[in-house]
Amino acid sequence: MPYVILGAAILAEVLGTTSMKYSEGFSKLWPSLGSAAGYLIAFALLAQALKTMPVGTVYAIWAGIGTAAVAAIGMVFLGEAATAAKMIGLLLVIAGVIVLNLGGAH
């Protein structure tokens, strides 16, 4: 169950970040509210996950998957360039999360 809660926290953070892009500097009401709600939910769920999981593991997964997901959304849906450097960077982020979960974060 902690991983489900963490997954929901990641989803909320990704939705909050994506909404922030559409808020145009918090000048549009609905995307701004979506961003605030996404982050509020994300942090509440993150706090719940931290009750039963190590902080290093939780944060590595949350930050790594969130970063990779937002970067992918930017490239696939928002017209950002999908360069070789970005792809290598995303792979390194994912590799770092894997390494931390194999023993470094426990």
Side-chain angles (χ1 to χ4, degrees):
M1 188 59 126
Y3 282 98
V4 173
I5 293 170
L6 180 56
I10 293 166
L11 178 61
E13 187 264 337
V14 168
L15 292 173
T17 301
T18 304
S19 294
M20 192 182 305
K21 171 68 174 170
Y22 289 107
S23 77
E24 295 185 16
F26 296 115
S27 65
K28 291 188 172 184
L29 178 62
W30 293 112
S32 298
L33 292 175
S35 183
Y39 276 97
L40 182 67
I41 292 166
F43 283 115
L45 291 170
L46 189 65
Q48 294 304 308
L50 286 169
K51 286 182 176 180
T52 58
M53 295 175 69
V55 68
T57 300
V58 169
Y59 197 73
I61 294 170
W62 185 65
I65 293 175
T67 299
V70 170
I73 288 168
M75 289 183 277
V76 173
F77 298 108
L78 301 175
E80 296 177 8
T83 65
K86 281 186 182 181
M87 295 301 164
I88 292 168
L90 288 175
L91 290 174
L92 289 171
V93 167
I94 293 166
V97 170
I98 292 169
V99 169
L100 282 170
N101 281 294
L102 289 176
H106 296 278

